[in-house]
Amino acid sequence: MFRAVARIMRTPDLRKKIGFTLAIIALFRLGSYIPAPFVDYASVQTCLASASSQQGLYDLINLFSGGALLKLSVFALGIMPYITSSIIVQLLRVVIPHFDALYKEGQSGQAKLTQYTRYLTIALGVLQSTTLITVARSGALFGTNASTSCSSIISNDSWYAIMLMVVTLTAGTGLIMWMGELVTERGIGNGMSLLIFTSIAAQFPSALWAIEQSNGFELFLFVILVGLVIMMAVVFVEQSQRRIPVQYAKRMVGRRTYGGNNTYIPIKVNMAGVVPVIFASSLLYLPALVAQFNQPSDGTEPAAWVTWIQNNLTSGDNWFYMVLYFLLIVGFTYFYVAITFNPEEVADNMKKYGGFIPGIRAGRPTAEYLDYVLTRVTLPGSLYLGLIALIPLAALAFFGANQNFPFGGASILIIVGVGLETVKQIDSQLQQRHYEGLLR
């Protein structure tokens, strides 16, 4: 292992790529601490210290921004608008035939889809920054238990000040998107994923320190051990796949013979990744947001439906929220896998190039077999995602951790997934130069 790291440092090209990636990550983290214009930094720090541990509504966005959201920094929106726009463009392939045609065009079509994703990211940045500033002005950004001074964290309410803040936060989102693309092109690859990884990893020390301060050193060690076991289990499942064997018949093209080789179709246990967790969290976020904006301003008792939502859908420490969250993740897993993996398209491509699954006829029987396997492999994958996502909620219920508990949910899935992919990237680049990679 140490010799592999030494080989990385002795390879000039790879060393430059890693150095460039680390420099971009450092700039990304620096922007998370620079406050946006007209934001009272001292008041924000006071509100962060006095706010409830159940900020609930904004936990997921704050997690992906590396804590920058609640600090109202120039990178407050983080990478979330880009993630949302990427998912929307991917889903639109099913609805809009033009998008699906662009996807099948190859590199030129992919470039156009990427451009659409960028435009949509900026539009979502404007929308989300406007919402964030509105919530910050109302004093509800830090939860219902925050002090009344949290409604005055913006020092200037003039229209030009609000416009400048919206432009700044949107420009911060655009800059993050550009930095991620730079890492993909000139760094070690997976730029957007690495920035998300950085944001989540930055929250780990504070989350673990809070557990040690509130529950003692013994529970802190127990959490570390449980976290290592969970991480090993996540690595095992993320690497698990069902390999469907495929054989290609030999065919003559001119004087050359093509095909005749054996390969396989890898169907991962968790094909959906972390997307179902994001979908479920976003859907549960909507009723809580509606209830928040229907709070009476005169201090009277809110409506019965608002009270019910506040009691059942704003915090993860009750059974109804946990069950609904789990069922939504299972449902969204099947939904997303059905959109991203089309058995009929795979069967048609195999038939076109003379491929077949041993014992299965080409064409429709192959598509039905692939759908049969996919449905059954997705079941344990969806249950696994639901259980992993419930770990922070269980920690919140049992020993009062916040919903950003480090060893569970979207955080552990992204940390492990991006970590494995980055190691594979470095390993492949080492093998190109030394014929011996980072992994053995």
Side-chain angles (χ1 to χ4, degrees), residues 183-199:
V183 172
T184 302
E185 294 173 5
R186 300 176 54 186
I188 58 177
N190 298 324
M192 297 298 179
S193 300
L194 277 175
L195 293 184
I196 299 173
F197 176 94
T198 304
S199 299

Side-chain angles (χ1 to χ4, degrees), residues 239 241-246 263-268 369 373:
Q239 297 292 87
Q241 56 184 224
R242 167 76 158 85
R243 296 181 175 181
I244 300 177
V246 177
T263 182
Y264 60 87
I265 301 174
I267 297 182
K268 295 181 63 177
Y369 177 75
V373 173

Side-chain angles (χ1 to χ4, degrees), residues 21-35 41 61-71 73-79 172 175-176 179 194-206:
T21 302
L22 293 176
I24 293 293
I25 288 175
L27 291 175
F28 173 65
R29 289 304 302 158
L30 177 63
S32 302
Y33 291 93
I34 300 175
Y41 185 75
I61 306 175
N62 191 53
L63 177 68
F64 281 103
S65 67
L69 176 78
L70 297 181
K71 297 174 185 174
S73 70
V74 293
F75 287 171
L77 299 181
I79 205 72
L175 182 59
I176 292 173
M179 291 165 66
L194 277 175
L195 293 184
I196 299 173
F197 176 94
T198 304
S199 299
I200 296 174
Q203 301 283 76
F204 265 57
S206 59

Side-chain angles (χ1 to χ4, degrees), residues 288-429:
L289 183 64
V290 172
Q292 188 179 76
F293 282 103
N294 281 274
Q295 288 283 354
S297 57
D298 54 0
T300 58
E301 192 72 21
W305 65 272
V306 175
T307 304
W308 186 88
I309 289 177
Q310 289 179 337
N311 293 335
N312 296 281
L313 293 178
T314 58
S315 177
D317 55 355
N318 64 81
W319 68 268
F320 182 81
Y321 186 98
M322 291 185 182
V323 171
L324 183 59
Y325 190 41
F326 180 83
L327 294 177
L328 284 174
I329 289 174
V330 172
F332 278 128
T333 302
Y334 275 94
F335 171 74
Y336 190 73
V337 169
I339 288 176
T340 54
F341 188 91
N342 188 348
E344 293 183 0
E345 182 180 346
V346 175
D348 290 341
N349 290 333
M350 288 171 55
K351 185 177 181 180
K352 185 187 302 181
Y353 294 103
F356 63 93
I357 299 173
I360 307 294
R361 285 184 298 164
R364 185 171 183 82
T366 298
E368 292 176 350
Y369 177 75
L370 289 174
D371 183 66
Y372 172 85
V373 173
L374 185 66
T375 302
R376 279 148 184 78
V377 170
T378 303
L379 177 60
S382 62
L383 297 178
Y384 148 80
L385 274 180
L387 292 175
I388 291 294
L390 285 181
I391 291 175
L393 304 184
L396 173 68
F398 287 115
F399 54 87
N402 62 23
Q403 295 187 26
N404 291 338
F405 180 72
F407 298 110
S411 59
I412 195 68
L413 292 170
I414 293 174
I415 287 287
V416 172
V418 177
L420 290 173
E421 190 62 32
T422 303
V423 170
K424 290 178 182 177
Q425 289 270 0
I426 297 175
D427 181 68
S428 64
Q429 296 189 36

Side-chain angles (χ1 to χ4, degrees), residues 24-69:
I24 293 293
I25 288 175
L27 291 175
F28 173 65
R29 289 304 302 158
L30 177 63
S32 302
Y33 291 93
I34 300 175
F38 305 107
V39 172
D40 190 339
Y41 185 75
S43 298
V44 169
Q45 294 300 313
T46 303
C47 293
L48 280 173
S50 61
S52 168
S53 63
Q54 300 176 17
Q55 280 129 6
L57 290 180
Y58 314 103
D59 274 334
L60 183 66
I61 306 175
N62 191 53
L63 177 68
F64 281 103
S65 67
L69 176 78

Side-chain angles (χ1 to χ4, degrees), residues 162-219:
I162 302 301
M163 286 292 295
L164 181 60
M165 292 182 68
V166 170
V167 170
T168 302
L169 295 180
T170 306
T173 297
L175 182 59
I176 292 173
M177 182 171 57
W178 177 67
M179 291 165 66
E181 292 179 354
L182 278 181
V183 172
T184 302
E185 294 173 5
R186 300 176 54 186
I188 58 177
N190 298 324
M192 297 298 179
S193 300
L194 277 175
L195 293 184
I196 299 173
F197 176 94
T198 304
S199 299
I200 296 174
Q203 301 283 76
F204 265 57
S206 59
L208 292 175
W209 178 251
I211 293 174
E212 198 277 334
Q213 289 292 303
S214 58
N215 297 282
F217 188 70
E218 293 80 6
L219 186 59

